[in-house]
Amino acid sequence: MKALHQAGYAVDLASRYICYSKNSDNEILQERKSGAIQEAKRLVEQYQCIDVKERPQIWITYHPYCKAPDWIGPIVSNALGIPYVTVEAARTGQGGAEDLWASWREEAQRGIKQADLHLVFKPTDRAYLAELLGDQARLIDIQPFMNVDTGEIAPQSLPPSWNRTTTFVTTGMMRKGKKDKNFFMLADIFSGLERQDWKLVIVGGGPEEANIRAAFSKIEASHLHWTGQVEHAEVLGWMKACDAFVWPGWKEPIGMVYLEAQLMGLPVIAYKSMGVPLVVKDGLTGFLAPEENKASIRAALEKTLDNKALRQQMGVAAKKMVLEKHSIDAGSKQIKKALAIGL
């Protein structure tokens, strides 16, 4: 919304109705759909009671996907005769042998097919939409962007004994699924490092913290500093205190945390997985290793250990890239151009 405002649009949050569900139960689907249709009818009546010049001219829905179909946007935009636009329409990993989300996905796709334009962040989303929509697909790529106005971030204090030691930092939510698997990968990666002249700050907390700590128990405790769950500003403070950011990024759709770390002036070490290359430039703002290639990512860590000048050079390039290409200012320009071209 801030990016749209900055691009010169008057923006209203039309509805706070929640279509999303954590559960694929059909009763929930029907309840969500019924509520959404009622909300759409309410909005149509509301808009039709005001002067045509005061009505919305574009409807934008962010991130319709398997767990969050958009029933509202198609109804409202069709009733008002205005363009319907999606941002980051996606097909996520739900499925499996039973594919419990098949009905939800069908509903999401029905709405997606009615859009006049799709703004796309990731190549995987583009491929999905191109296959789903065929020749009807109107897709425009935009780069991921974020708020870069973080204010003054003070670096956190590292243990005094860590002076003059290369310090990596990592952060993630400690929950089951992709997050804990990435932490387990990280424990395996660092436990296999032959060199011992490094430290690692682990920022985060959650229900799987005990299991994640257990995975890191094979590493000498003097190498590690656990912060627990902290506020966002403190996460950035830990990044600012360290020398490089490392997070495997296995199955990472985009990884906004990489943009945050680079904004704090850190080079990134990660796997070249899914959306990570969208926000980290290999050899320029960090090192990307082939996915799940532990030897390659360890080699990248060792390069970072060896060369303070390189770390600093990459950190400067990383911050410059985020400010120039991934800020809200950059995002607003991309969106304005995309809407002008696509509608």
Side-chain angles (χ1 to χ4, degrees):
M1 288 177 68
K2 186 174 179 180
L4 285 163
H5 274 298
Q6 197 163 314
Y9 296 95
V11 187
D12 290 317
L13 180 61
S15 175
R16 291 187 178 275
Y17 182 82
I18 296 173
C19 295
Y20 172 80
S21 174
K22 290 182 178 180
N23 190 312
S24 63
D25 189 87
N26 188 60
E27 287 185 12
I28 298 175
L29 171 61
Q30 297 307 321
E31 179 189 331
R32 294 284 197 276
K33 182 176 181 179
S34 176
I37 291 171
Q38 290 303 311
E39 175 72 346
K41 289 179 178 177
R42 181 190 71 80
L43 287 167
V44 170
E45 290 176 4
Q46 173 187 314
Y47 292 138
Q48 288 179 337
C49 287
I50 62 177
D51 188 272
V52 173
K53 293 180 181 178
E54 300 299 320
R55 295 177 188 175
Q57 295 176 316
I58 303 173
W59 180 281
I60 297 179
T61 294
Y62 174 71
H63 199 34
Y65 75 113
C66 315
K67 290 187 175 183
D70 178 26
W71 295 283
I72 300 173
I75 294 173
V76 175
S77 57
N78 184 60
L80 299 183
I82 61 174
Y84 171 47
V85 179
T86 77
V87 180
E88 202 180 359
R91 187 322 186 177
T92 51
Q94 289 77 29
E98 296 181 64
D99 197 0
L100 300 176
W101 292 92
S103 296
W104 287 78
R105 186 173 305 110
E106 183 179 336
E107 294 288 342
Q109 290 176 345
R110 186 176 293 115
I112 288 168
K113 287 177 179 177
Q114 295 182 60
D116 298 286
L117 176 66
H118 302 277
L119 305 188
V120 182
F121 285 123
K122 307 189 295 293
T124 50
D125 292 347
R126 169 174 272 277
Y128 164 63
L129 292 171
E131 181 180 357
L132 176 67
L133 304 173
D135 294 338
Q136 302 174 48
R138 298 187 69 188
L139 314 176
I140 295 181
D141 297 305
I142 59 174
Q143 296 196 54
F145 59 91
M146 59 176 284
N147 182 19
V148 298
D149 185 14
T150 58
E152 288 297 320
I153 300 295
Q156 293 293 311
S157 298
L158 296 169
S161 60
W162 286 21
N163 287 343
R164 295 183 299 279
T165 303
T166 301
T167 303
F168 299 100
V169 61
T170 192
T171 184
M173 298 175 68
M174 296 183 179
R175 65 187 183 200
K176 274 193 176 295
K178 290 185 291 187
K179 296 297 185 184
D180 67 344
K181 179 160 183 178
N182 273 283
F183 273 114
F184 298 149
M185 286 180 169
L186 201 61
D188 197 26
I189 289 163
F190 274 96
S191 66
L193 273 180
E194 292 184 7
R195 293 175 55 167
Q196 297 296 304
D197 52 340
W198 56 269
K199 306 291 185 182
L200 175 65
V201 175
I202 303 171
V203 182
E208 292 302 306
E209 183 172 350
N211 291 331
I212 290 167
R213 283 180 177 262
F216 278 89
S217 63
K218 50 194 171 184
I219 298 172
E220 191 176 323
S222 62
H223 283 292
L224 307 175
H225 179 73
W226 300 82
T227 72
Q229 190 165 331
V230 299
E231 294 298 320
H232 183 246
E234 193 171 332
V235 176
L236 299 182
W238 283 112
M239 289 176 174
K240 205 162 187 180
C242 297
D243 299 303
F245 179 77
V246 56
W247 178 251
W250 178 78
K251 301 299 182 187
E252 193 72 69
I254 295 177
M256 300 303 282
V257 70
Y258 297 118
L259 291 179
E260 292 181 322
Q262 291 174 107
L263 181 63
M264 293 299 105
L266 296 187
V268 167
I269 299 97
Y271 283 132
K272 192 174 184 178
S273 179
M274 288 185 67
V276 181
L278 296 174
V279 291
V280 181
K281 302 308 174 189
D282 188 26
L284 177 65
T285 70
F287 295 110
L288 298 181
E291 191 170 52
E292 298 191 59
N293 187 320
K294 289 180 284 190
S296 292
I297 202 167
R298 286 182 188 131
L301 289 170
E302 290 183 354
K303 283 182 189 176
T304 313
L305 281 167
D306 279 331
N307 199 326
K308 180 179 179 180
L310 179 62
R311 290 198 307 267
Q312 292 176 338
Q313 176 186 323
M314 285 186 158
V316 169
K319 184 171 183 176
K320 183 174 184 286
M321 179 194 73
V322 174
L323 292 173
E324 290 182 354
K325 296 185 178 180
H326 299 285
S327 66
I328 284 182
D329 182 55
S332 71
K333 291 174 182 175
Q334 292 183 82
I335 291 173
K336 186 173 184 176
K337 182 178 179 180
L339 295 179
I341 293 172
L343 296 179

